Amino acid sequence: TPQSQQRALNVMPAQQWVLVASADGPEAALTQALVSQLLAAGQQVTVLVPQALTQIAAPQQIVLLAGLYSEDGLSGQTGRCMLAAQLLQLCEARGITCSVWLLAHGAARHLLPDMPALPVHEIADAAFWGFGRTLINEYPRYKVCLLDLPGAIDAERVAAVLLAQDTESEIALTAERQRGISRLRILPDHLECGSSAPPSNQRWLSF
C-alpha cells in the first residue's frame, strides 16, 4: 500500500548510493526515477556509467542497473556478469564494505510458482541471476542482493525494497504487486514404486 511504502522509505538513515547504469540504455528511465525516490528519502545518490566504475569512492549501497531490460538476450549476459564481478572485485581491492544490488528482469519466476511461464527469449536474465547466486557465495563479506523486476514497475516500489533493510537476498516483484522470496523446503520422501517405507536419510530440497 502507499502508506506501507512510505514507511519503508523512512526506515534507512542517510547513506551514499551509487547507481551503475548506461546513460541512454533501456534502464535509463527507471534509473532517473530511482534517483528521485532515493533523494526524496534523504539519501545521497551518484549515477555512474559502467565505464566509470573506478570513480567509486566509498558508498554503502551500490545498485547495478546496467543492461536491465536489454533486448540482447543471452548474448548480453556475459558483459553484465563481468560487470558485476568487476564491481565486487573493485570494492574488495579498495576495502569498501557495502551492499550490492543486482537487478534483473524475468529471471526469478520460480519464486512465484503461480505465475505463468515466460518464453525462453524473455528469461535471458536467468543466467545473470545464477551468476549473482555465485557471487553471494564468493563474497560473503558483502550483502549481495538479487532483485527481479517485471517489465513495468513503479520506481517507488523498487525504492521501498532497496530501503527496507531486510535480510532477504533473492526477491522477485511482479506487476500484480506480488513479492516472492527464496526459501528452502523439505519435501516428503519420494518412494520408488513398490517401496514399503521411505529411506530415513532421504530428503529433497526445492528452490
Side-chain angles (χ1 to χ4, degrees):
T1 65
Q3 288 183 342
S4 62
Q5 289 177 352
Q6 187 59 44
R7 284 197 297 271
L9 291 175
N10 294 328
V11 169
M12 182 178 287
Q15 294 190 347
Q16 178 64 51
W17 292 70
V18 170
L19 275 54
V20 181
S22 301
D24 55 358
E27 75 278 10
L30 178 60
T31 300
Q32 292 305 314
L34 272 179
V35 170
S36 298
Q37 289 291 325
L38 293 172
L39 290 175
Q43 306 300 305
Q44 303 172 34
V45 186
T46 301
V47 179
L48 292 179
V49 296
Q51 297 81 1
L53 279 188
T54 55
Q55 297 181 20
I56 287 180
Q60 288 85 39
Q61 305 283 339
I62 300 176
V63 185
L64 180 55
L65 296 103
L68 182 66
Y69 300 132
S70 170
E71 296 182 357
D72 292 339
L74 283 174
S75 63
Q77 300 308 312
T78 301
R80 297 184 71 198
C81 291
M82 291 180 63
L83 183 59
Q86 179 186 356
L87 185 57
L88 281 159
Q89 289 168 1
L90 180 65
C91 290
E92 185 176 53
R94 296 186 176 181
I96 300 172
T97 301
C98 60
S99 296
V100 178
W101 293 84
L102 307 180
L103 272 55
H105 165 55
R109 305 286 279 192
H110 59 282
L111 299 181
L112 301 155
D114 296 330
M115 298 298 293
L118 292 173
V120 173
H121 69 275
E122 292 188 26
I123 59 171
D125 280 19
F128 181 61
W129 187 275
F131 187 75
R133 279 183 158 185
T134 300
L135 293 177
I136 291 175
N137 294 324
E138 292 291 332
Y139 292 90
R141 285 183 52 204
Y142 296 87
K143 182 183 178 183
V144 179
C145 305
L146 309 177
L147 178 58
D148 192 53
L149 307 177
I153 188 168
D154 188 338
E156 185 177 2
R157 287 186 64 204
V158 181
V161 173
L162 298 178
L163 294 167
Q165 299 191 100
D166 63 24
T167 59
E168 303 299 339
S169 60
E170 298 182 39
I171 303 171
L173 303 180
T174 73
E176 294 77 18
R177 308 191 73 79
Q178 291 179 304
R179 179 178 185 267
I181 55 177
S182 62
R183 286 292 182 269
L184 289 175
R185 295 180 295 162
I186 299 179
L187 299 181
D189 293 313
H190 289 217
L191 302 180
E192 297 290 340
C193 293
S195 297
S196 58
S200 61
N201 62 346
Q202 180 175 314
R203 294 291 184 270
W204 292 73
L205 295 180
S206 175
F207 295 87

